[in-house]
Amino acid sequence: MTARTASLWQFRQPSVIPGFGLALGVTLSWLILIILIPLSGLAWRSSALGWPTFWALATDQRTVNALRISFGTAFAAALVNVVFGVILAWVLVRYRFPGKRVIDAMVDLPFALPTAVAGIALTTLYAPNGWIGSLLAPLGIKIAFTPIGIVFALIFVGLPFVVRTVQPIMEEIDKEVEEAAATLGANRFQTIRRVLLPGLAPAVLTGFALAFARGVGEYGSVIFIAGNLPYISEIAPLLIVIRLEEFNYPAATAIAAVMLVISFAMLLIINTIQAWSRRRYGYGA
Amino acid sequence: MEVRVQNIRKEFSRFPALNDVSLDIRSGELIALLGPSGSGKTTLLRLIAGLESPTEGTVYFGNEDASRKTVQQRNIGFVFQHYALFRHMTVLDNVSFGLTIRPAGRRPSKADIRKRALELLDLVQLSGLEKRYPAQLSGGQRQRVALARAMAVEPNVLLLDEPFGALDAQVRKELRRWLREIHDRTGHTTVFVTHDQDEALELADRVVVMSKGKIEQIGTPDEIYDTPNSPFVFGFIGQSNILPVRVENGQLWLDDRSIGVSATGEADGPAQLYFRPHDIELLDGCGGCIAGIVTVTRRVAGTRHVELDIGATHSKVEIELPPEKVTSDHSRIAFRPTRWKLFRN
Amino acid sequence: MAHDAASHGGTGNTELVRVATSEHRLARYGLIGLALCFVGLFLVLPLAAVFTEAMRNGPGEFFTVLSDPETFSAIRLTLIVAGIAVPLNLVFGIAAAWAIAKFEFKGKAFLTTLIDLPFSVSPVISGMVFILLFGSHSLIGPWLQSHGIQILFAVPGIVLATVFVTFPFVARELIPLMQEQGTSDEEAALSLGASGWQTFWYVTLPNIKWGLLYGVLLCNARAMGEFGAVSVVSGHIRGLTNTMPLQVEILYNEYNFVAAFAVATLLALLALVTLVLKSLLEMKYSEQIAASRRH
C-alpha cells in the first residue's frame, strides 16, 4: 500500500486531503471489474472472428437494414426532439403559465418510467385500434408497427436529454445581450435567430447527440410498438437479442461491435466539437 | 443630437424609481449621471434608451418625441456594464452587427460595413484583433469593442451604463482618459452612468447628481464641487464636515462661543455648518474659532489628516494640514473654515 | 406641453418596451400551446394510458392480478436486485467523486469518460457482454458449470447487468457538485485536527447529501426499471428470474393486457414518486448549490 501511494504521488499534484489511494483504488477496481473486463470480452470476441467473417456478418442484409433503421429512426427522433425540446425549454425558462412546475417535472418522466412500461403505453395509444391510432387510421396514417412508431418511441425516450441540456444554458443567458441586440436595431426575430440561438448551439448539439446515442441503443420502449418485421421495422438491438437466442454469438457480436464503434465515434466527434467551442468561444455545454 | 427629458416619472410596481425628473442634454455634450445605487441613474439612462418606458413624461430627441418609439427605432448606442458582447461572433462581426441587420434598403454594402467596422476598431485601438472572439480578449478590450459596436450605427446619443464598473482600477483610469479623447474626436452626445465621483468629475462636461429618484444638482464639475447646493451633494461629493451651529445676529455660534464666521443675512436659529477638510485656516489664539483635541492623525500622500474632537458635544471633524505641521495626540488645535455653507433641516 | 407629454404614458408605451426583450403575446401563447400539446401527446397521455388500461375491468380485477404469485415473486426479485445494485454503485460513486473532484491527477478526464461509458452502450449490449463472459462458450463458462455456479439466467447475472447499466448515476451527480464545492472546507477541517474519515463524515457528506440522494434516486429508478440488459441475461424463468419489467412484457405478449398494465401501474407509480422526490430535492439542491456559489 505504501509503495503504491508513493508511485501515485508522481502523477498527481500533492494535496493535504487524504484518501486518494483508497478512493482511486475502489474506483479503478470497480470500473475494471464491472465495465472494462466485460466490454473487452466483447472486443476480444469480435476480433477473434477475423476480418472476413466479421465483414460478412456485418454486411448481412438483415443486419445492415436493422442498423440503418436504428440509426435512421434515432436520427429523426433526435431532430424532432431538438425542435420541440428547444421550444419546451424556452417556454419553461421564459414564460409563466399555470401548471408550469408540473410540466417541468414531467419532462423527466422518460428518465424515471421503465422503458417497457413506456413501450406498452405508447403502443396502446398509437396502435390502429388505440386511443390516437384509431383517430388516424381512417386517414390512412399508421404509426404503430411501422418505422414511424419507432421514431415516436424514441422521441419519448430522448426528449429530456435535449430539454435538460439546453434549459440551464438558456437560464444563464444575460438579459443585457438581448438588450444590446435591441439597441443596435435588431427586431425580436433577428435577436433570437442571430444572437440567442447561435449561443445555444453547443448545448443543442450535445442534447442532440445524447438523444441520438440513447435512441440508437434503445430496446424496451421500441420492441412493443415497432412490429419487428425483419428488414422493415426490426432494430439492431432486437436483432442482437434474436441472434443470442439462436446461440449465434458471432453474429450478435458483430452487430454489437458495429453499433459500439459508430456510437463511440459519434461521441468522440461531439466531444471534439465541444472542446473546440469552449476554446474558441469560452463556452460549451 | 440634443436630448430632453421632461417631467419623467417611473414606478416599478408602485415604488417610484424616478420622480418628476427633467434634464436637457446639449448636442455633443459629455454628461455624467452620478449617484449612489438606488438613486435612479440607471433607470433614467434606460428610459432615454427605450429599454424602459416612463410611467409619465416624455423624452425628446431633438424636436421629435421619442417616447413613442421602440428601442430599435431610437437609433441609440448603449454600452452595458458587463459588455454584453455576442460571444459566438468575432470582434468584427460584433461591431458590424448593427449595420448587417438593417433592412436591405438602409443597409450599406458588405464592403462598406467591413470598412466602417475596421475604422472603428482602429479608433478604439483594437486594430488586428478583429478576428478574435470576445472570450479571447481582456476586460478593457471587451469594453472597447462594446463601445465600437455602439458607435457603428451612428447613434443619436451614446449611452454608457457604468462602463468601467467591472474593470480593475488601473484599466479604469486609462479607459477614462481614452473615452474623453474619443468623445472629443467623434463629438457624439454622450451620457454615462457612474457611482464613482472621481470618474464623473474628471470626465464629464456636466455632472448630474441624483439621489432617491430625483436630480439634486446639475452643473460643471467645478460648480458641483465648489458650490454644492444641498447637504446630500455636499456629503456625497468629496470629504465634508458637519457641525451643528446656531445663527445669532449674523454670527455663527458653536455651543457657547462664536466661531468668528459671519453669516450676514441668515435668519437666527439652529443650522448645520458644512465645510471641506482643506477649506480651513489654522489660528493661534482663539478669539473666534473652532477648537478641538487631536484624536488621530494620519499621513495621506501629500497631506496630513487630523481628526478632532470638538466642544461639549464631542462632534468629530477631520481637517487637512500640510505634512510639515506635526501634531501630537491630545494636543489642541484651533481653526476656522474659509469656505463653508449653511443648511437648515 | 408637459401635460401633453404625460398623457401618453400608459400601457401603450409598456408594450413598446416589451418588444425589445420578449415576444409578441400571440407568439408567446402559440409557443406555450405547442409545448403543452407536445408534452400532452408524448408524456401525459402515455402515463394516463397505463392507469386507464389497468383499471379497464375495475379495481377488483386490478388487485386480483396483482396478487398473482408470479407477479409477487417478480416484485420481490426487483427489490432484491435494486437492493444490491444501488448500494454498490453508491459506494463506487462516492469513491469516484472523491478521487476525481478533490484531486488533480493525470488521466482524470479519461477516467471521467470511462465512467460515463455505460450511458452510450445499448442496454442489450450491456447484457450481452455478460453472456459472452460467462456463457458456455466462454473461457470461464465451463469451469463455472463444473462447479455448479450459476450466474447467467439467475439472480447474479441480473444483478451484474443492473450494476453495469446503473454504474454512472451516483458518480455523475456527485462529481460536478463536489468540484464546485472545492477543497477548502476539507482543508479547514483537516487543519483543525480532524481525521480523514471525520472530515468526510462531518464536512463533506453534509455538503453533498442532497446531491447524493438525488443520484441514488435516479440510480434506483433505473435499477428497478431496467429492461433490455436484464432481459438478455435473465432467461425469463417465470417465478424465478423475472423482474417486474420482464413480467410486464410476458403478460403483454400473452395478451393479458389488464395484468400487464396492472404491473406497469406499480412501475409507473414508482416513476411518479421518483419525479416528485426529485422535484422536491431539486428545490433544496438548487438552494444548496446557490449557497455554495455564494461563499
Side-chain angles (χ1 to χ4, degrees):
Chain A
M1 193 66 205
T2 24
R4 189 186 168 134
T5 2
S7 68
L8 288 173
W9 190 260
Q10 289 153 18
F11 84 92
R12 73 155 166 133
Q13 287 174 19
S15 161
V16 294
I17 294 175
F20 179 71
L22 178 66
L24 192 69
V26 169
T27 307
L28 285 182
S29 328
W30 199 232
L31 185 73
I32 290 167
L33 220 60
I34 296 293
I35 306 293
L36 296 184
I37 291 181
L39 275 181
S40 54
L42 176 69
W44 180 71
R45 280 297 189 99
S46 46
S47 64
L49 290 174
W51 183 248
T53 326
F54 180 85
W55 185 250
L57 289 169
T59 54
D60 170 69
Q61 194 55 48
R62 189 168 167 186
T63 304
V64 169
N65 277 26
L67 287 169
R68 195 181 288 159
I69 290 162
S70 274
F71 281 91
T73 52
F75 190 83
L79 275 187
V80 173
N81 274 330
V82 160
V83 175
F84 284 95
V86 170
I87 292 177
L88 189 51
W90 181 262
V91 165
L92 288 175
V93 171
R94 287 301 173 104
Y95 304 149
R96 288 162 52 153
F97 55 94
K100 176 171 148 168
R101 278 199 117 124
V102 180
I103 303 280
D104 199 359
M106 280 292 284
V107 169
D108 284 325
L109 183 70
F111 282 157
L113 193 70
T115 52
V117 178
I120 62 171
L122 287 168
T123 311
T124 304
L125 290 179
Y126 293 104
N129 58 351
W131 296 14
I132 298 174
S134 61
L135 301 176
L136 298 174
L139 307 171
I141 302 171
K142 238 184 119 191
I143 292 177
F145 317 128
T146 70
I148 300 176
I150 304 176
V151 174
F152 270 52
L154 296 184
I155 291 173
F156 173 87
V157 166
L159 177 65
F161 288 99
V162 177
V163 178
R164 293 300 185 226
T165 31
V166 175
Q167 205 175 7
I169 308 293
M170 252 181 205
E171 273 163 3
E172 277 173 20
I173 294 178
D174 192 349
K175 194 98 182 164
E176 280 190 354
V177 170
E178 287 170 69
E179 290 179 344
T183 60
L184 292 166
N187 62 35
R188 192 61 190 155
F189 178 73
Q190 286 173 318
T191 305
I192 292 176
R193 199 179 73 81
R194 306 186 63 145
V195 176
L196 296 184
L197 288 182
L200 291 174
V204 171
L205 191 67
T206 309
F208 174 86
L210 291 172
F212 180 62
R214 173 70 199 264
V216 167
E218 179 55 23
Y219 176 69
S221 60
V222 175
I223 52 165
F224 298 98
I225 201 171
N228 305 329
L229 286 173
Y231 301 99
I232 294 167
S233 59
E234 184 179 65
I235 55 167
L238 177 64
L239 191 58
I240 292 178
V241 172
I242 291 171
R243 295 303 186 215
L244 285 176
E245 280 168 358
E246 291 166 351
F247 297 103
N248 187 351
Y249 289 175
T253 308
I255 304 169
V258 172
M259 284 182 70
L260 282 183
V261 166
I262 300 180
S263 297
F264 290 161
M266 265 198 25
L267 285 183
L268 196 70
I269 293 169
I270 297 291
N271 275 338
T272 313
I273 295 175
Q274 289 286 340
W276 175 79
S277 155
R278 244 190 301 276
R279 241 193 346 269
R280 180 158 200 186
Y281 305 124
Y283 66 99
Chain B
M1 180 173 290
E2 75 176 26
V3 175
R4 276 185 302 139
V5 173
Q6 222 164 51
N7 305 99
I8 287 276
R9 187 180 159 73
K10 174 66 182 174
E11 287 179 4
F12 288 114
S13 54
R14 296 283 133 203
F15 171 78
L18 286 178
N19 205 346
D20 196 25
V21 166
S22 295
L23 174 65
D24 284 2
I25 300 163
R26 298 173 205 133
S27 190
E29 193 173 30
L30 178 57
I31 205 164
L33 304 182
L34 174 66
S37 57
S39 59
K41 55 193 192 300
T42 295
T43 307
L44 181 56
L45 194 77
R46 290 170 62 87
L47 277 163
I48 297 172
L51 289 168
E52 306 281 355
S53 65
T55 313
E56 277 171 35
T58 323
V59 176
Y60 290 95
F61 281 15
N63 290 321
E64 206 178 352
D65 179 0
S67 319
R68 291 167 186 277
K69 289 184 169 180
T70 63
V71 55
Q72 285 96 343
Q73 294 161 339
R74 286 190 197 190
N75 193 40
I76 47 107
F78 202 106
V79 175
F80 294 84
Q81 184 176 3
H82 300 286
Y83 330 125
L85 293 179
F86 309 133
R87 50 188 191 166
H88 63 281
M89 292 183 197
T90 60
V91 166
L92 188 72
D93 289 342
N94 263 287
V95 177
S96 315
F97 182 82
L99 297 173
T100 52
I101 53 157
R102 284 195 180 160
R106 294 199 297 122
R107 187 169 55 220
S109 73
K110 268 200 174 135
D112 286 346
I113 293 177
R114 188 183 157 80
K115 188 161 157 271
R116 167 114 185 96
L118 288 174
E119 277 169 15
L120 281 165
L121 284 175
D122 189 42
L123 178 71
V124 299
Q125 296 160 4
L126 288 177
S127 297
L129 298 185
E130 66 267 13
K131 286 188 183 138
R132 297 268 190 99
Y133 285 85
Q136 301 162 329
L137 301 178
S138 71
Q141 289 174 325
R142 286 182 210 179
Q143 198 55 296
R144 285 189 269 163
V145 175
L147 185 68
R149 182 178 69 177
M151 289 193 296
V153 294
E154 289 292 352
N156 289 325
V157 54
L158 201 52
L159 306 167
L160 301 92
D161 183 9
E162 300 259 5
F164 312 124
L167 301 170
D168 54 42
Q170 191 61 37
V171 185
R172 261 174 108 116
K173 271 206 164 145
E174 247 167 63
L175 278 191
R176 210 188 273 173
R177 216 158 292 148
W178 166 86
L179 178 66
R180 182 72 227 187
E181 280 172 34
I182 297 251
H183 175 266
D184 292 344
R185 259 204 270 172
T186 58
H188 283 297
T189 308
T190 306
V191 184
F192 74 99
V193 158
T194 181
H195 62 264
D196 180 342
Q197 43 171 306
D198 292 343
E199 202 166 287
L201 295 176
E202 181 182 328
L203 197 51
D205 295 326
R206 283 197 300 156
V207 177
V208 178
V209 184
M210 297 185 67
S211 163
K212 295 180 184 158
K214 284 194 153 161
I215 292 180
E216 290 279 343
Q217 188 170 0
I218 306 176
T220 64
D222 286 348
E223 286 166 356
I224 295 285
Y225 191 83
D226 294 333
T227 54
N229 65 1
S230 72
F232 173 81
V233 179
F234 220 125
F236 186 68
I237 307 286
Q239 300 288 314
S240 63
N241 292 306
I242 308 167
L243 278 178
V245 294
R246 220 163 57 245
V247 184
E248 263 180 46
N249 304 322
Q251 287 293 318
L252 294 189
W253 290 70
L254 180 68
D255 296 333
D256 55 352
R257 68 171 71 162
S258 159
I259 61 174
V261 172
S262 56
T264 349
E266 286 281 346
D268 287 1
Q272 306 281 339
L273 175 71
Y274 282 70
F275 62 95
R276 300 211 182 273
H278 51 80
D279 287 337
I280 54 128
E281 54 181 346
L282 283 183
L283 300 170
D284 287 334
C286 196
C289 70
I290 303 173
I293 308 290
V294 176
T295 54
V296 183
T297 59
R298 274 175 288 127
R299 170 73 189 260
V300 180
T303 54
R304 192 173 298 279
H305 291 208
V306 179
E307 277 183 29
L308 300 173
D309 193 49
I310 308 272
T313 50
H314 297 288
S315 307
K316 292 260 176 280
V317 157
E318 182 170 320
I319 57 174
E320 284 174 26
L321 302 177
E324 60 274 12
K325 172 86 186 168
V326 181
T327 57
S328 54
D329 285 3
H330 309 299
S331 64
R332 196 177 158 84
I333 286 187
F335 69 96
R336 184 187 294 153
T338 51
R339 196 205 289 257
W340 48 269
K341 199 149 174 129
L342 275 187
F343 292 106
R344 291 170 195 260
N345 297 332
Chain C
M1 193 74 177
H3 176 77
D4 192 273
S7 63
H8 47 76
T11 47
N13 260 351
T14 322
E15 198 56 40
L16 282 183
V17 165
R18 195 164 287 147
V19 174
T21 50
S22 76
E23 294 74 47
H24 191 267
R25 189 155 18 101
L26 288 179
R28 221 152 53 221
Y29 291 157
L31 285 175
I32 292 177
L34 206 60
L36 289 183
C37 281
F38 189 71
V39 168
L41 215 56
F42 280 95
L43 298 178
V44 179
L45 268 185
L47 197 60
V50 173
F51 292 103
T52 320
E53 292 296 319
M55 293 295 176
R56 177 156 290 245
N57 299 337
E61 191 171 333
F62 175 79
F63 288 111
T64 317
V65 295
L66 277 189
S67 53
D68 178 80
E70 280 178 15
T71 301
F72 188 74
S73 85
I75 295 174
R76 214 171 65 101
L77 181 59
T78 298
L79 291 177
I80 290 173
V81 170
I84 301 171
V86 173
L88 285 177
N89 279 333
L90 170 69
V91 171
F92 161 77
I94 293 175
W98 186 265
I100 289 173
K102 303 284 179 194
F103 299 93
E104 290 301 327
F105 57 93
K106 289 192 185 112
K108 192 160 114 163
F110 183 61
L111 181 61
T112 316
T113 314
L114 283 183
I115 290 173
D116 279 346
L117 208 54
F119 275 150
S120 45
V121 174
S122 169
V124 167
I125 298 177
S126 312
M128 173 185 166
V129 290
F130 292 103
I131 301 237
L132 296 184
L133 200 62
F134 299 116
S136 46
H137 298 278
S138 71
L139 283 178
I140 47 174
W143 183 87
L144 289 172
Q145 220 159 12
S146 63
H147 287 77
I149 301 172
Q150 183 86 12
I151 289 181
L152 294 178
F153 316 123
V155 177
I158 297 175
V159 171
L160 277 175
T162 307
V163 169
F164 184 103
V165 169
T166 57
F167 188 79
F169 279 90
V170 178
R172 258 217 91 95
E173 284 305 320
L174 288 188
I175 291 171
L177 179 61
M178 281 168 72
Q179 265 170 345
E180 188 166 5
Q181 288 175 346
T183 54
S184 47
D185 285 14
E186 282 77 14
E187 282 162 2
L190 291 167
S191 75
L192 293 169
S195 73
W197 285 113
Q198 283 172 324
T199 302
F200 174 74
W201 197 252
Y202 292 112
V203 176
T204 310
L205 201 57
N207 275 337
I208 60 167
K209 63 182 173 205
W210 298 120
L212 186 66
L213 207 55
Y214 189 87
V216 166
L217 201 65
L218 296 181
C219 184
N220 179 63
R222 183 69 193 265
M224 289 191 172
E226 178 50 30
F227 179 76
V230 171
S231 165
V232 169
V233 295
S234 102
H236 302 274
I237 305 164
R238 295 189 147 215
L240 280 179
T241 63
N242 268 349
T243 59
M244 286 165 78
L246 297 181
Q247 186 72 7
V248 170
E249 184 201 16
I250 289 183
L251 292 168
Y252 188 84
N253 286 344
E254 287 170 347
Y255 300 101
N256 191 351
F257 291 140
V258 171
F261 277 104
V263 180
T265 302
L266 296 182
L267 289 169
L269 283 176
L270 169 76
L272 286 181
V273 170
T274 304
L275 286 190
V276 170
L277 288 177
K278 184 173 178 291
S279 302
L280 289 178
L281 276 179
E282 256 161 2
M283 280 183 244
K284 292 215 155 187
Y285 185 43
S286 67
E287 281 162 18
Q288 188 187 52
I289 284 185
S292 72
R293 276 196 189 133
R294 248 177 272 129
H295 286 310

